[in-house]
Amino acid sequence: MIWSAVVVFALVQRCVSKPLAKRWDDFAVKHSWTEIPRGWELHGPAPADHSMDMRIGLKQDRLDELISTLYKVSDPAHERYGAHLSAEEVQALVAPHPNTLGLVDSWLTHYDVDPSSIHRSGGKDWITLRVSVAQAERMLGTKYNVYRHSKTSEYVVRTLSYSLPTILTGHVDVVAPTTYFGTMRSMKSTSFKQPNIKPVDSDVNFVVDAVDAKTCSSIVTPSCLRALYKTDSYKPAATDKNSFGITGYLEEYANFADLQTFFKKFRPDAVGGNFTVVELNGGKNDQSNPGTEANLDVQYSLGISYPTPNTYYSTDGSPPFKPDANAPNNTNEPYLDWLNFILNQTTISQTYSTSYGDDEQTVPPDYANSVCNGFAQLGSRGASIMFSSGDSGVGGGACTTNDGKNKTQFLPSFPATCPFVTAVGATTQVNPEVGINFSGGGFSNYFSTPPYQTAATEAFLKSLGTKYSGLYNKTGRGYPDVAAQGQGFQVVIGGQIQSIAGTSASSPTFAAVISLLNDYLISNGKSPLGFLNPFLYSTGSSGLNDITSGSNPGCSTKGFTARAGWDPVTGLGTPDFGKLQALVGK
């Protein structure tokens, strides 16, 4: 009997150990595409020995508490309004549960991941490690290939589907690079040149003292915007504490010499002022290659907020994959690099503007959620985050879904659809302003209507009735939130003035006004505005100019139409600095 008991015990132990040994092979699909994302084509299998930096986003244990806190510190009616969190407090809320850390470490050990290659974020919610393609394929139960972008001729290593061991369900939010095909070069800049609008004479200084309806309706300059949005009499007083951040992608470089030419022409009192460049993840500062988008962002953010310190973040992905070489570090994805860098800084800027985006449906939901939650972290620390709403109205191109069904549908833009950022649409003309036809707007298919916006979107949907039913998500987060001028911007590029349009112009314009409000608050010993939307949709709405005409056609429709109150063309409207200053000063 003793011998039998020993045998039985050994057999039981063997049976128990087998599932433990195999549990890492029991996969569940995390995300997959039904077809190769549009604009990309299969080039061939990825070399097994190609190495890349894998990023693993772990489930943040107290994320609900973080978001709840974000709303409290951003709501003017709450007793905690303005009590933003420190980096350490945010890291404590996003830190994974110890069980998550233990399981993930066991997973990595099982696949012989070199411990010395692992880097953890401050909150330990992100892990970056170096792996080979063969190693990644085993870990994720997938097959990586090399894909080529038809327009940019860029090669990337991606997969159409990836899985995780079922035991990691609820512990890992996202893994990259996997199914997100967006790259620095393929993402959309939201600006474009306007050769049909003749730029102002380069030899003559151009400063207006008031809003000239004839001039400022056709060409836009800093003095037009400062007069229109009533910032021209405000003098920043907290430049030792308040700062402004601009995110740059697509190998776009802001040019120092062009800024001085711009100042001489349009803001003479700012001549000699400058900006700082932070090169991030391989980003550069090539002064021989001035970028349209970069110069637009820097010239107009400083043109309005001067002398507030401005930082341009030149953000690049890792080197693109070369089909004939074992190129390292092929992550090359937007947003995460910049977010992880900023969130790991002890001190951050109070205002940020980004003028890039993608069709929401091209961004895997797990990736979009992780990025959006990163913006929630940034907002909880007191940052106001602006994103351009896009330049395709309710959607560009054929406006069909990419789920294999090819259903006709409006195409919202991400990250503008993230409920934790302030999306900025575009207007044109003055006295009155009207919504411009390219202003991106609509409703998210990923994110539900946030609580601060429910009443505003319900009122619009009631006025819309059954029009466009089935083409958009009635329960989705509506965007844009606000708007600003968006065409005829006079920008110096390579020493020459050109006319530029797009919500890329609107975002830094609105953000610059917010930066001045933050300056006012800080100089009076108060907290910066932080996450704007709860304020804008409540007491702040009376500080905005409601835009009631204009539409944003797209997808073979006339699009939405601006109306009284919030609408998905111009949001709640354009800023009136004087009124907003009075509201935040109460």
Side-chain angles (χ1 to χ4, degrees), residues 518-561:
N518 280 331
D519 178 276
Y520 171 72
L521 288 168
I522 294 169
S523 65
N524 282 279
K526 297 183 178 182
S527 299
L529 288 166
F531 175 41
L532 292 171
N533 295 4
F535 162 70
L536 293 174
Y537 282 87
S538 57
T539 57
S541 62
S542 61
L544 300 170
N545 308 305
D546 191 10
I547 310 302
T548 58
S549 62
S551 61
N552 58 353
C555 302
S556 300
T557 73
K558 294 181 179 179
F560 297 113
T561 301

Side-chain angles (χ1 to χ4, degrees), residues 155-236:
Y155 293 90
V156 297
V157 174
R158 297 291 189 271
T159 178
L160 293 182
S161 175
Y162 80 101
S163 302
L164 289 169
T166 54
I167 197 170
L168 292 179
T169 300
H171 294 281
V172 174
D173 288 337
V174 66
V175 180
T178 51
T179 54
Y180 179 35
F181 278 64
T183 70
M184 299 298 180
R185 296 176 182 83
S186 66
M187 67 193 298
K188 294 180 179 178
S189 166
T190 51
S191 67
F192 53 94
K193 296 180 180 180
Q194 293 187 295
N196 58 310
I197 296 181
K198 184 180 179 181
V200 299
D201 188 339
S202 299
D203 297 325
V204 181
N205 281 358
F206 190 91
V207 178
V208 296
D209 296 323
V211 180
D212 183 315
K214 181 179 179 181
T215 301
C216 296
S217 284
S218 57
I219 56 173
V220 174
T221 66
S223 53
C224 284
L225 296 171
R226 295 176 69 211
L228 179 62
Y229 299 137
K230 298 180 172 60
T231 69
D232 47 351
S233 62
Y234 182 76
K235 306 296 183 183

Side-chain angles (χ1 to χ4, degrees), residues 253-486:
Y253 309 114
N255 189 269
F256 299 128
D258 281 346
L259 177 64
Q260 296 309 311
T261 301
F262 179 82
F263 279 158
K264 290 176 184 176
K265 180 75 176 178
F266 301 113
R267 181 100 196 243
D269 64 310
V271 171
N274 220 324
F275 59 96
T276 301
V277 176
V278 171
E279 299 174 21
L280 212 166
N281 198 46
K284 299 178 178 63
N285 183 19
D286 186 354
Q287 289 297 302
S288 68
N289 185 22
T292 300
E293 180 66 59
N295 276 2
L296 166 64
D297 290 345
V298 165
Q299 290 172 19
Y300 277 86
S301 60
L302 269 167
I304 297 171
S305 70
Y306 174 82
T308 301
N310 274 233
T311 299
Y312 182 79
Y313 294 92
S314 180
T315 309
D316 198 359
S318 305
F321 179 81
K322 297 178 182 178
D324 58 350
N326 184 26
N329 301 327
N330 183 235
T331 302
N332 201 29
E333 294 178 319
Y335 314 127
L336 280 182
D337 293 320
W338 182 83
L339 261 174
N340 287 336
F341 173 83
I342 294 295
L343 289 171
N344 279 311
Q345 304 304 304
T346 301
T347 302
I348 61 174
S349 292
Q350 293 82 359
T351 311
Y352 293 98
S353 177
T354 306
S355 296
Y356 298 89
D358 294 293
D359 288 342
E360 186 185 65
Q361 68 170 356
T362 68
V363 184
D366 55 353
Y367 188 95
N369 274 295
S370 293
V371 168
C372 191
N373 290 338
F375 292 129
Q377 293 179 53
L378 199 53
S380 70
R381 290 182 58 184
S384 301
I385 309 163
M386 264 60 64
F387 267 89
S388 55
S389 70
D391 296 344
S392 300
V394 295
C399 294
T400 55
T401 59
N402 61 352
D403 56 2
K405 299 178 181 178
N406 290 321
K407 177 184 175 182
T408 300
Q409 190 177 69
F410 291 166
L411 298 180
S413 178
F414 178 84
T417 53
C418 170
F420 306 128
V421 307
T422 300
V424 187
T427 61
T428 187
Q429 301 180 31
V430 296
N431 300 327
E433 293 181 84
V434 301
I436 200 165
N437 59 2
F438 58 72
S439 183
F443 298 84
S444 173
N445 291 313
Y446 285 2
F447 303 101
S448 59
T449 309
Y452 59 75
Q453 194 186 46
T454 302
T457 55
E458 283 182 348
F460 176 81
L461 292 173
K462 183 177 180 181
S463 72
L464 189 64
T466 59
K467 188 176 183 179
Y468 300 143
S469 290
L471 293 179
Y472 69 96
N473 177 21
K474 293 183 178 180
T475 62
R477 181 272 205 267
Y479 79 104
D481 301 296
V482 292
Q485 288 283 310

Side-chain angles (χ1 to χ4, degrees), residues 50-54 113 117 129-136 139:
H50 168 67
S51 63
M52 58 187 180
D53 283 341
M54 176 185 286
V113 172
S117 75
L129 54 140
R130 179 68 58 81
V131 295
S132 67
V133 163
Q135 204 171 6
M139 294 172 66

Side-chain angles (χ1 to χ4, degrees), residues 6-20:
V6 171
V7 171
V8 169
F9 178 76
L11 289 172
V12 168
Q13 287 297 98
R14 185 179 180 187
C15 290
V16 169
S17 65
K18 275 194 172 183
L20 289 175

